Every structure is written in structure tokens, then in C-alpha cells.
Amino acid sequence: MVMAREYRSMAEVRQWLAPRLRDAAPLLFAQAEWFDALHRHCFADMPVRVAMAAEGGAEVWLFLHDRGERKAGALANWYSFSWAPLFLGNPDERTQARLLERVAAELLRDCAQIDLYPLEESGAVLAALRKAGWFAVTRAMGGRHVLDVQGRSFDRYWAGRPGRLRELVRRRGRDRPFEYAVHHELTDGLWRDYEAVHAASWKEPEPEGGLALLREIAGRESAAGRLRIGFARQGERAVAAQLWTLDGDCALIHKLCHDAAFDAQSPGTLLSHSMFAHAIDTDRVARIDYGTGDNAYKSDWMERRIPLHRVDAFNPRFASAWLPAARAAISALVG
């Protein structure tokens, strides 16, 4: 079985995908619920394109969105730590390769261009696209910073941080200017505090649909016991907030913000110190993932960078894809 269909929403897809996921436990960014929420809040004006292939008891699913003019892209954005084909039924590498090639051949029917990002591994997808007849190129594009805890206590982890970070936390936290709390359950009051800090943050305004997406994810993960939303407060006033969730044995850092009026006191850094301690010593996670982006401060807290890749594929049957394909080839050579 092979298919590639468009839907106005993920609701119908979820209905008949759910039974197939009963025996699987995909990570957050591979769940149908994640793609559903992401589409409703951030891509509602674009149809969902779902491509699927099955062989025996094995399946592969690709969740894309239609960008118009016969172009499709991975159903992902800056909130997605990664994007990848979803395999069900534990297929071996050869079966995965066949399934991917069948999906790529099906998409070749009416797509002129496809872009896929952020991929941790692009080799299998790239090979399948090329074998199916696409002109495809890949390039490195950013990365994720992660910490593999390796059984350390927080104190042992902290002793290995750069001296400038440890000294900053020591000096700014010396007089205990803030109180810290990590909550596992979301309430309307906590979310109002989060929104208030976000509005006073140095960050640019959240893209349309962003806060609504984060609110839905926070609520769903709270109900499942996987939410970790932290605050630094001065009296009753929240001055820094962080939204984390647990994904298996990994802590995901979704969003940080702090009140710009308190920049000189570094409430965000002090709250991070508290959040990392909670994740390592209380939740005993095996990994902490800072998400996409090569912000310089992340390397102070994390110890490993996972390179991310983008795949651009062009259908030679469509003349409209020839010039973009040539540009992508040149860019890949230069890069």
C-alpha cells in the first residue's frame, strides 16, 4: 500500500492512525497529536499532506504541509526539535529503504519541490529520493545542543561548567534575590504568569499561533505528568519563566523568557540553574535537549552538538523546478 493525500486538518488522519500507534510510543515530535497541534496553530491555512507506504506489518509515514505551487515541506518549524519519517512495525534498514523509496516515488507524481528540515540524519531520505527519480541535495543547517547526563549528580555536572558561568550564578544568587519553583501541573494562574513574563521579555513577539501551541502542549503534558514549568519570582512577581517537558528519559527545553527590567540580576540564568538541578537530581533524566539554534549561551550548559540537515528535492518532470534545482546544487557545492 502506498498513498499521498491532502487533508484540511489532521483530525481525519489521527482517527485512522491512532490504532496503528497503540503498540508504539513515538517521541513527542513524531506523535500525530504533535503534528495536529502544530498544524492547527501554525499552518492552518495550508493543507496537510500525508504520505504513507506499508509492507507486511511495517509502515512509514511522512507528515508534510502543502505550500502551494506543487511545493511541500516537512510539517515542522522553530518549535520542532527534529523531523523524521515515522516508522511503525520495527522495519529493518532494508525495509525502511524500500518504504521510503515507495513514498518518494508516490510524491513524484504531483510534487515539484520538497524541503525537509530539521533532520538529524539525511542519508536514508536523500538516497530514497534520488533512487525514486528526484534531484536531491542536502546541506548542514544549524544544530541542537544536548547534555548527556551519564549518571552524574547535579553537583558533579555543575563542577564541570565554565568558570564564568559558575561565578555568575554565585555572584547574582549570593543575596537570594529570587525564589524558584518548578511546577508539574499547569493552572490558569501559572499560565497567566508565564504570559506576563513573556510579554515583558527581551524576546521578539511570538509568531502567530505560537503561544496557543505552547499552551496546548503544556496542558497536554501536564495531564500526562510530563510538564516542568519553572518560575523565578521576586515577591509575587514572576520575573523569569521556562517551559520544559519530559520525553521518555529526556528533558526538552521548549521556551525561556525573562522580564527585561531585571536583566542586571540574571533571573533567567539563575532559574536555569534551578531547572537543571531539578531535571538531573529529581527527575533523573539521561539527557537534556536545548532544541534547535546555535545560541552561544547553550554551549555553557550543554556538552554536545547534534548537527541538523536540510534536504531539498526537485522533480525533473516539472520545468518550474529546474532553476531552483540548479541554485540548490550550486549552494550545496559552495557550502
Side-chain angles (χ1 to χ4, degrees), residues 27 147 149 245-252 279 283-289:
L27 299 179
L147 169 71
V149 179
T245 63
L246 300 183
D247 197 14
D249 61 0
C250 179
L252 306 174
D283 290 321
R284 298 190 179 279
V285 298
R287 172 180 287 189
I288 300 176
D289 193 327

Side-chain angles (χ1 to χ4, degrees), residues 147-203:
L147 169 71
D148 295 310
V149 179
Q150 299 178 322
R152 287 172 288 181
S153 66
F154 177 74
D155 286 344
R156 185 179 168 198
Y157 155 76
W158 187 245
R161 295 308 90 216
R164 63 182 179 279
L165 177 62
R166 289 186 285 114
E167 177 62 15
L168 176 65
V169 169
R170 188 192 68 80
R171 286 189 292 104
R172 297 293 165 81
R174 183 168 46 203
D175 297 327
R176 298 184 179 181
F178 309 113
E179 294 183 358
Y180 312 99
V182 181
H183 304 272
H184 295 194
E185 295 183 10
L186 186 67
T187 66
D188 290 341
L190 288 175
W191 191 254
R192 283 194 296 271
D193 287 344
Y194 180 86
E195 289 184 316
V197 176
H198 190 279
S201 176
W202 52 269
K203 294 182 179 293

